[in-house]
Amino acid sequence: MISLVTAPQISVNEPDMHVIEVFVKEKDVVVAGTVLCVLETTKATMEVTAHIAGYVSRLAIKVGDFISVGEPICWIGLSLDDKLPHQEITIESNSLQGLKVTKAALA
């Protein structure tokens, strides 16, 4: 099983945040409550913590990034073998005819 950690809403009027610190890297072991990163708006700063124990399977942010509420921060798996879920892509344009997908894209 793999679990997605997303950016929380820090301030009602500010959906965008600045990543000012990141404390984990991919393959790190975390427990529930481990501080993953610190996000900042113009009026508040918040530590984002892991909600489950496991391994950081993929990190989607770095210091200096700007992210919005609900955007991925990282994925936490119960083991290093957990794979990220594949996301289906729908193409609604005929301008991409002949396009061949050769590798599954990860979210």
Side-chain angles (χ1 to χ4, degrees):
M1 183 185 105
I2 198 156
S3 182
L4 173 63
V5 178
T6 60
Q9 184 159 5
I10 297 175
S11 175
V12 175
N13 297 321
E14 294 182 86
D16 299 319
M17 297 153 260
H18 187 214
V19 179
I20 58 171
E21 291 184 83
V22 177
F23 296 107
V24 295
K25 60 186 181 308
E26 291 182 4
K27 298 185 181 179
D28 277 359
V29 176
V30 296
V31 296
T34 298
V35 177
L36 304 170
C37 67
V38 177
L39 302 175
E40 178 182 65
T41 66
T42 59
K43 297 181 181 178
T45 301
M46 175 184 265
E47 292 181 338
V48 177
T49 59
H51 54 280
I52 63 169
Y55 296 87
V56 178
S57 299
R58 182 171 175 207
L59 190 60
I61 59 168
K62 64 183 179 309
V63 172
D65 284 352
F66 284 91
I67 60 174
S68 297
V69 172
E71 286 189 24
I73 290 175
C74 70
W75 287 262
I76 298 174
L78 298 179
S79 76
L80 286 174
D81 296 330
D82 283 348
K83 303 292 182 207
L84 294 176
H86 293 290
Q87 188 176 46
E88 285 189 29
I89 299 171
T90 304
I91 299 174
E92 297 181 15
S93 170
N94 290 332
S95 66
L96 298 176
Q97 288 180 349
L99 177 68
K100 197 183 277 187
V101 178
T102 58
K103 185 177 178 184
L106 298 177

